[in-house]
Structure formats: C-alpha cells, structure tokens
PDB file of all heavy atoms in Angstrom:
ATOM      1  N   GLU A 257     -82.413 -47.114  44.840  1.00  0.00           N
ATOM      2  CA  GLU A 257     -81.291 -46.184  44.865  1.00  0.00           C
ATOM      3  C   GLU A 257     -81.023 -45.796  46.297  1.00  0.00           C
ATOM      4  O   GLU A 257     -81.941 -45.573  47.076  1.00  0.00           O
ATOM      5  CB  GLU A 257     -81.597 -44.933  44.051  1.00  0.00           C
ATOM      6  CG  GLU A 257     -82.016 -45.260  42.586  1.00  0.00           C
ATOM      7  CD  GLU A 257     -80.967 -45.856  41.749  1.00  0.00           C
ATOM      8  OE1 GLU A 257     -79.740 -45.765  42.144  1.00  0.00           O
ATOM      9  OE2 GLU A 257     -81.221 -46.449  40.702  1.00  0.00           O
ATOM     10  N   GLY A 258     -79.758 -45.653  46.690  1.00  0.00           N
ATOM     11  CA  GLY A 258     -79.408 -45.228  48.003  1.00  0.00           C
ATOM     12  C   GLY A 258     -78.848 -43.838  48.053  1.00  0.00           C
ATOM     13  O   GLY A 258     -78.983 -43.074  47.168  1.00  0.00           O
ATOM     14  N   GLY A 259     -78.171 -43.555  49.213  1.00  0.00           N
ATOM     15  CA  GLY A 259     -77.572 -42.233  49.365  1.00  0.00           C
ATOM     16  C   GLY A 259     -78.574 -41.049  49.356  1.00  0.00           C
ATOM     17  O   GLY A 259     -79.651 -41.149  49.916  1.00  0.00           O
ATOM     18  N   ILE A 260     -78.188 -39.960  48.659  1.00  0.00           N
ATOM     19  CA  ILE A 260     -79.046 -38.815  48.617  1.00  0.00           C
ATOM     20  C   ILE A 260     -80.342 -39.102  47.864  1.00  0.00           C
ATOM     21  O   ILE A 260     -81.429 -38.532  48.186  1.00  0.00           O
ATOM     22  CB  ILE A 260     -78.274 -37.607  48.040  1.00  0.00           C
ATOM     23  CG1 ILE A 260     -77.124 -37.204  48.900  1.00  0.00           C
ATOM     24  CG2 ILE A 260     -79.194 -36.412  47.806  1.00  0.00           C
ATOM     25  CD1 ILE A 260     -76.211 -36.096  48.362  1.00  0.00           C
ATOM     26  N   ALA A 261     -80.293 -39.990  46.902  1.00  0.00           N
ATOM     27  CA  ALA A 261     -81.531 -40.377  46.231  1.00  0.00           C
ATOM     28  C   ALA A 261     -82.491 -40.997  47.235  1.00  0.00           C
ATOM     29  O   ALA A 261     -83.765 -40.797  47.097  1.00  0.00           O
ATOM     30  CB  ALA A 261     -81.207 -41.389  45.117  1.00  0.00           C
ATOM     31  N   GLU A 262     -82.012 -41.704  48.198  1.00  0.00           N
ATOM     32  CA  GLU A 262     -82.892 -42.331  49.244  1.00  0.00           C
ATOM     33  C   GLU A 262     -83.505 -41.161  50.117  1.00  0.00           C
ATOM     34  O   GLU A 262     -84.658 -41.255  50.536  1.00  0.00           O
ATOM     35  CB  GLU A 262     -82.145 -43.300  50.107  1.00  0.00           C
ATOM     36  CG  GLU A 262     -82.921 -43.914  51.279  1.00  0.00           C
ATOM     37  CD  GLU A 262     -84.012 -44.854  50.870  1.00  0.00           C
ATOM     38  OE1 GLU A 262     -84.122 -45.178  49.644  1.00  0.00           O
ATOM     39  OE2 GLU A 262     -84.813 -45.281  51.700  1.00  0.00           O
ATOM     40  N   GLU A 263     -82.686 -40.160  50.382  1.00  0.00           N
ATOM     41  CA  GLU A 263     -83.233 -39.001  51.172  1.00  0.00           C
ATOM     42  C   GLU A 263     -84.409 -38.362  50.392  1.00  0.00           C
ATOM     43  O   GLU A 263     -85.475 -38.073  51.003  1.00  0.00           O
ATOM     44  CB  GLU A 263     -82.142 -37.976  51.349  1.00  0.00           C
ATOM     45  CG  GLU A 263     -81.021 -38.321  52.303  1.00  0.00           C
ATOM     46  CD  GLU A 263     -80.093 -37.217  52.466  1.00  0.00           C
ATOM     47  OE1 GLU A 263     -80.533 -36.082  52.739  1.00  0.00           O
ATOM     48  OE2 GLU A 263     -78.896 -37.429  52.287  1.00  0.00           O
ATOM     49  N   ILE A 264     -84.224 -38.211  49.094  1.00  0.00           N
ATOM     50  CA  ILE A 264     -85.254 -37.582  48.283  1.00  0.00           C
ATOM     51  C   ILE A 264     -86.492 -38.497  48.293  1.00  0.00           C
ATOM     52  O   ILE A 264     -87.636 -37.979  48.433  1.00  0.00           O
ATOM     53  CB  ILE A 264     -84.760 -37.394  46.801  1.00  0.00           C
ATOM     54  CG1 ILE A 264     -83.603 -36.395  46.812  1.00  0.00           C
ATOM     55  CG2 ILE A 264     -85.882 -36.898  45.914  1.00  0.00           C
ATOM     56  CD1 ILE A 264     -82.828 -36.271  45.483  1.00  0.00           C
ATOM     57  N   ARG A 265     -86.317 -39.779  48.154  1.00  0.00           N
ATOM     58  CA  ARG A 265     -87.441 -40.724  48.155  1.00  0.00           C
ATOM     59  C   ARG A 265     -88.199 -40.653  49.494  1.00  0.00           C
ATOM     60  O   ARG A 265     -89.450 -40.585  49.533  1.00  0.00           O
ATOM     61  CB  ARG A 265     -87.014 -42.166  47.925  1.00  0.00           C
ATOM     62  CG  ARG A 265     -88.135 -43.198  48.086  1.00  0.00           C
ATOM     63  CD  ARG A 265     -87.550 -44.601  48.067  1.00  0.00           C
ATOM     64  NE  ARG A 265     -87.067 -44.965  46.791  1.00  0.00           N
ATOM     65  CZ  ARG A 265     -87.814 -45.387  45.751  1.00  0.00           C
ATOM     66  NH1 ARG A 265     -89.135 -45.521  45.984  1.00  0.00           N
ATOM     67  NH2 ARG A 265     -87.324 -45.713  44.638  1.00  0.00           N
ATOM     68  N   ARG A 266     -87.472 -40.631  50.611  1.00  0.00           N
ATOM     69  CA  ARG A 266     -88.153 -40.593  51.931  1.00  0.00           C
ATOM     70  C   ARG A 266     -88.900 -39.296  52.147  1.00  0.00           C
ATOM     71  O   ARG A 266     -90.020 -39.293  52.719  1.00  0.00           O
ATOM     72  CB  ARG A 266     -87.096 -40.814  53.015  1.00  0.00           C
ATOM     73  CG  ARG A 266     -86.503 -42.221  52.983  1.00  0.00           C
ATOM     74  CD  ARG A 266     -85.725 -42.493  54.232  1.00  0.00           C
ATOM     75  NE  ARG A 266     -85.147 -43.855  54.204  1.00  0.00           N
ATOM     76  CZ  ARG A 266     -84.590 -44.484  55.209  1.00  0.00           C
ATOM     77  NH1 ARG A 266     -84.492 -43.879  56.360  1.00  0.00           N
ATOM     78  NH2 ARG A 266     -84.090 -45.722  55.047  1.00  0.00           N
ATOM     79  N   LEU A 267     -88.376 -38.179  51.668  1.00  0.00           N
ATOM     80  CA  LEU A 267     -89.134 -36.917  51.756  1.00  0.00           C
ATOM     81  C   LEU A 267     -90.428 -36.979  50.961  1.00  0.00           C
ATOM     82  O   LEU A 267     -91.486 -36.533  51.373  1.00  0.00           O
ATOM     83  CB  LEU A 267     -88.252 -35.752  51.321  1.00  0.00           C
ATOM     84  CG  LEU A 267     -87.217 -35.228  52.297  1.00  0.00           C
ATOM     85  CD1 LEU A 267     -86.280 -34.259  51.618  1.00  0.00           C
ATOM     86  CD2 LEU A 267     -87.861 -34.656  53.529  1.00  0.00           C
ATOM     87  N   ARG A 268     -90.279 -37.514  49.734  1.00  0.00           N
ATOM     88  CA  ARG A 268     -91.451 -37.613  48.844  1.00  0.00           C
ATOM     89  C   ARG A 268     -92.487 -38.518  49.505  1.00  0.00           C
ATOM     90  O   ARG A 268     -93.745 -38.225  49.509  1.00  0.00           O
ATOM     91  CB  ARG A 268     -91.027 -38.198  47.504  1.00  0.00           C
ATOM     92  CG  ARG A 268     -92.125 -38.548  46.563  1.00  0.00           C
ATOM     93  CD  ARG A 268     -91.651 -39.182  45.272  1.00  0.00           C
ATOM     94  NE  ARG A 268     -92.665 -39.620  44.429  1.00  0.00           N
ATOM     95  CZ  ARG A 268     -93.267 -40.797  44.481  1.00  0.00           C
ATOM     96  NH1 ARG A 268     -92.909 -41.688  45.377  1.00  0.00           N
ATOM     97  NH2 ARG A 268     -94.214 -41.115  43.639  1.00  0.00           N
ATOM     98  N   ASP A 269     -92.082 -39.690  50.038  1.00  0.00           N
ATOM     99  CA  ASP A 269     -93.060 -40.610  50.602  1.00  0.00           C
ATOM    100  C   ASP A 269     -93.677 -40.025  51.916  1.00  0.00           C
ATOM    101  O   ASP A 269     -94.899 -40.191  52.130  1.00  0.00           O
ATOM    102  CB  ASP A 269     -92.379 -41.929  50.939  1.00  0.00           C
ATOM    103  CG  ASP A 269     -91.935 -42.707  49.717  1.00  0.00           C
ATOM    104  OD1 ASP A 269     -92.424 -42.315  48.600  1.00  0.00           O
ATOM    105  OD2 ASP A 269     -91.164 -43.645  49.813  1.00  0.00           O
ATOM    106  N   HIS A 270     -92.885 -39.351  52.708  1.00  0.00           N
ATOM    107  CA  HIS A 270     -93.374 -38.821  53.982  1.00  0.00           C
ATOM    108  C   HIS A 270     -94.426 -37.705  53.766  1.00  0.00           C
ATOM    109  O   HIS A 270     -95.483 -37.660  54.428  1.00  0.00           O
ATOM    110  CB  HIS A 270     -92.203 -38.298  54.818  1.00  0.00           C
ATOM    111  CG  HIS A 270     -92.628 -37.711  56.138  1.00  0.00           C
ATOM    112  ND1 HIS A 270     -93.081 -38.492  57.205  1.00  0.00           N
ATOM    113  CD2 HIS A 270     -92.738 -36.402  56.538  1.00  0.00           C
ATOM    114  CE1 HIS A 270     -93.433 -37.709  58.210  1.00  0.00           C
ATOM    115  NE2 HIS A 270     -93.207 -36.415  57.848  1.00  0.00           N
ATOM    116  N   PHE A 271     -94.082 -36.773  52.831  1.00  0.00           N
ATOM    117  CA  PHE A 271     -94.964 -35.631  52.620  1.00  0.00           C
ATOM    118  C   PHE A 271     -95.976 -35.843  51.482  1.00  0.00           C
ATOM    119  O   PHE A 271     -96.860 -35.001  51.280  1.00  0.00           O
ATOM    120  CB  PHE A 271     -94.131 -34.352  52.310  1.00  0.00           C
ATOM    121  CG  PHE A 271     -93.336 -33.907  53.487  1.00  0.00           C
ATOM    122  CD1 PHE A 271     -92.016 -34.194  53.638  1.00  0.00           C
ATOM    123  CD2 PHE A 271     -93.997 -33.194  54.470  1.00  0.00           C
ATOM    124  CE1 PHE A 271     -91.241 -33.704  54.660  1.00  0.00           C
ATOM    125  CE2 PHE A 271     -93.267 -32.733  55.609  1.00  0.00           C
ATOM    126  CZ  PHE A 271     -91.895 -32.973  55.698  1.00  0.00           C
ATOM    127  N   GLY A 272     -95.886 -36.987  50.803  1.00  0.00           N
ATOM    128  CA  GLY A 272     -96.799 -37.240  49.666  1.00  0.00           C
ATOM    129  C   GLY A 272     -96.728 -36.243  48.599  1.00  0.00           C
ATOM    130  O   GLY A 272     -97.752 -35.900  47.950  1.00  0.00           O
ATOM    131  N   CYS A 273     -95.517 -35.754  48.312  1.00  0.00           N
ATOM    132  CA  CYS A 273     -95.300 -34.679  47.359  1.00  0.00           C
ATOM    133  C   CYS A 273     -94.657 -35.229  46.069  1.00  0.00           C
ATOM    134  O   CYS A 273     -94.398 -36.440  45.990  1.00  0.00           O
ATOM    135  CB  CYS A 273     -94.504 -33.528  47.961  1.00  0.00           C
ATOM    136  SG  CYS A 273     -92.835 -34.113  48.447  1.00  0.00           S
ATOM    137  N   SER A 274     -94.366 -34.389  45.142  1.00  0.00           N
ATOM    138  CA  SER A 274     -93.684 -34.794  43.915  1.00  0.00           C
ATOM    139  C   SER A 274     -92.187 -34.906  44.147  1.00  0.00           C
ATOM    140  O   SER A 274     -91.608 -34.462  45.142  1.00  0.00           O
ATOM    141  CB  SER A 274     -93.924 -33.708  42.778  1.00  0.00           C
ATOM    142  OG  SER A 274     -93.272 -32.537  43.180  1.00  0.00           O
ATOM    143  N   TRP A 275     -91.525 -35.615  43.200  1.00  0.00           N
ATOM    144  CA  TRP A 275     -90.066 -35.703  43.286  1.00  0.00           C
ATOM    145  C   TRP A 275     -89.449 -34.286  43.237  1.00  0.00           C
ATOM    146  O   TRP A 275     -88.453 -34.028  43.961  1.00  0.00           O
ATOM    147  CB  TRP A 275     -89.547 -36.517  42.118  1.00  0.00           C
ATOM    148  CG  TRP A 275     -89.911 -37.971  42.104  1.00  0.00           C
ATOM    149  CD1 TRP A 275     -90.808 -38.562  41.282  1.00  0.00           C
ATOM    150  CD2 TRP A 275     -89.361 -38.987  42.990  1.00  0.00           C
ATOM    151  NE1 TRP A 275     -90.846 -39.928  41.597  1.00  0.00           N
ATOM    152  CE2 TRP A 275     -90.005 -40.196  42.632  1.00  0.00           C
ATOM    153  CE3 TRP A 275     -88.419 -39.003  44.010  1.00  0.00           C
ATOM    154  CZ2 TRP A 275     -89.714 -41.395  43.237  1.00  0.00           C
ATOM    155  CZ3 TRP A 275     -88.145 -40.186  44.615  1.00  0.00           C
ATOM    156  CH2 TRP A 275     -88.815 -41.420  44.234  1.00  0.00           C
ATOM    157  N   THR A 276     -90.021 -33.447  42.452  1.00  0.00           N
ATOM    158  CA  THR A 276     -89.514 -32.049  42.340  1.00  0.00           C
ATOM    159  C   THR A 276     -89.547 -31.362  43.718  1.00  0.00           C
ATOM    160  O   THR A 276     -88.571 -30.747  44.164  1.00  0.00           O
ATOM    161  CB  THR A 276     -90.357 -31.251  41.318  1.00  0.00           C
ATOM    162  OG1 THR A 276     -90.103 -31.730  40.011  1.00  0.00           O
ATOM    163  CG2 THR A 276     -90.008 -29.747  41.400  1.00  0.00           C
ATOM    164  N   ARG A 277     -90.708 -31.470  44.426  1.00  0.00           N
ATOM    165  CA  ARG A 277     -90.819 -30.761  45.692  1.00  0.00           C
ATOM    166  C   ARG A 277     -89.831 -31.343  46.712  1.00  0.00           C
ATOM    167  O   ARG A 277     -89.232 -30.638  47.557  1.00  0.00           O
ATOM    168  CB  ARG A 277     -92.217 -30.882  46.218  1.00  0.00           C
ATOM    169  CG  ARG A 277     -92.471 -30.169  47.522  1.00  0.00           C
ATOM    170  CD  ARG A 277     -92.170 -28.642  47.404  1.00  0.00           C
ATOM    171  NE  ARG A 277     -92.073 -27.991  48.687  1.00  0.00           N
ATOM    172  CZ  ARG A 277     -91.088 -27.215  49.068  1.00  0.00           C
ATOM    173  NH1 ARG A 277     -90.096 -26.983  48.215  1.00  0.00           N
ATOM    174  NH2 ARG A 277     -91.099 -26.619  50.238  1.00  0.00           N
ATOM    175  N   ALA A 278     -89.671 -32.653  46.669  1.00  0.00           N
ATOM    176  CA  ALA A 278     -88.719 -33.303  47.610  1.00  0.00           C
ATOM    177  C   ALA A 278     -87.300 -32.761  47.370  1.00  0.00           C
ATOM    178  O   ALA A 278     -86.516 -32.534  48.321  1.00  0.00           O
ATOM    179  CB  ALA A 278     -88.778 -34.827  47.447  1.00  0.00           C
ATOM    180  N   MET A 279     -86.927 -32.606  46.096  1.00  0.00           N
ATOM    181  CA  MET A 279     -85.573 -32.127  45.768  1.00  0.00           C
ATOM    182  C   MET A 279     -85.458 -30.651  46.229  1.00  0.00           C
ATOM    183  O   MET A 279     -84.380 -30.239  46.735  1.00  0.00           O
ATOM    184  CB  MET A 279     -85.318 -32.162  44.241  1.00  0.00           C
ATOM    185  CG  MET A 279     -85.155 -33.624  43.754  1.00  0.00           C
ATOM    186  SD  MET A 279     -84.798 -33.704  42.033  1.00  0.00           S
ATOM    187  CE  MET A 279     -85.632 -35.114  41.523  1.00  0.00           C
ATOM    188  N   GLU A 280     -86.545 -29.889  46.041  1.00  0.00           N
ATOM    189  CA  GLU A 280     -86.478 -28.512  46.484  1.00  0.00           C
ATOM    190  C   GLU A 280     -86.318 -28.360  47.984  1.00  0.00           C
ATOM    191  O   GLU A 280     -85.684 -27.413  48.476  1.00  0.00           O
ATOM    192  CB  GLU A 280     -87.764 -27.828  46.040  1.00  0.00           C
ATOM    193  CG  GLU A 280     -87.878 -27.559  44.542  1.00  0.00           C
ATOM    194  CD  GLU A 280     -89.233 -27.057  44.133  1.00  0.00           C
ATOM    195  OE1 GLU A 280     -90.141 -27.109  44.897  1.00  0.00           O
ATOM    196  OE2 GLU A 280     -89.344 -26.613  42.950  1.00  0.00           O
ATOM    197  N   MET A 281     -86.893 -29.301  48.761  1.00  0.00           N
ATOM    198  CA  MET A 281     -86.764 -29.267  50.209  1.00  0.00           C
ATOM    199  C   MET A 281     -85.292 -29.427  50.610  1.00  0.00           C
ATOM    200  O   MET A 281     -84.892 -28.802  51.599  1.00  0.00           O
ATOM    201  CB  MET A 281     -87.591 -30.431  50.816  1.00  0.00           C
ATOM    202  CG  MET A 281     -89.056 -30.241  50.745  1.00  0.00           C
ATOM    203  SD  MET A 281     -89.913 -31.657  51.542  1.00  0.00           S
ATOM    204  CE  MET A 281     -91.624 -31.354  51.056  1.00  0.00           C
ATOM    205  N   LEU A 282     -84.575 -30.180  49.881  1.00  0.00           N
ATOM    206  CA  LEU A 282     -83.122 -30.372  50.171  1.00  0.00           C
ATOM    207  C   LEU A 282     -82.255 -29.252  49.695  1.00  0.00           C
ATOM    208  O   LEU A 282     -81.255 -28.897  50.281  1.00  0.00           O
ATOM    209  CB  LEU A 282     -82.640 -31.738  49.614  1.00  0.00           C
ATOM    210  CG  LEU A 282     -83.219 -33.005  50.321  1.00  0.00           C
ATOM    211  CD1 LEU A 282     -82.690 -34.182  49.608  1.00  0.00           C
ATOM    212  CD2 LEU A 282     -82.840 -33.017  51.785  1.00  0.00           C
ATOM    213  N   THR A 283     -82.607 -28.718  48.497  1.00  0.00           N
ATOM    214  CA  THR A 283     -81.719 -27.664  47.943  1.00  0.00           C
ATOM    215  C   THR A 283     -82.044 -26.289  48.486  1.00  0.00           C
ATOM    216  O   THR A 283     -81.108 -25.448  48.606  1.00  0.00           O
ATOM    217  CB  THR A 283     -81.910 -27.627  46.399  1.00  0.00           C
ATOM    218  OG1 THR A 283     -83.267 -27.399  46.050  1.00  0.00           O
ATOM    219  CG2 THR A 283     -81.424 -28.910  45.755  1.00  0.00           C
ATOM    220  N   ASP A 284     -83.296 -26.012  48.812  1.00  0.00           N
ATOM    221  CA  ASP A 284     -83.629 -24.703  49.383  1.00  0.00           C
ATOM    222  C   ASP A 284     -82.897 -24.492  50.705  1.00  0.00           C
ATOM    223  O   ASP A 284     -83.027 -25.222  51.680  1.00  0.00           O
ATOM    224  CB  ASP A 284     -85.139 -24.585  49.612  1.00  0.00           C
ATOM    225  CG  ASP A 284     -85.952 -24.503  48.342  1.00  0.00           C
ATOM    226  OD1 ASP A 284     -85.297 -24.352  47.255  1.00  0.00           O
ATOM    227  OD2 ASP A 284     -87.178 -24.631  48.419  1.00  0.00           O
TER     228      ASP A 284
END
C-alpha cells in the first residue's frame, strides 16, 4: 500500500511499534 498507508508502515517499522501506535503518531 502507498500514500499515507506507507507513512504508517514506515513509522511502525522504524520504531518497532504497533500499527495503532504508528497511526497515533500521525493523528496526535
């Protein structure tokens, strides 16, 4: 998946966190 979904994936991979936490990083 590309776009914002790719942003979420990269945050998850970089920080080793859950999909939930990666989404929270962008929405907070």
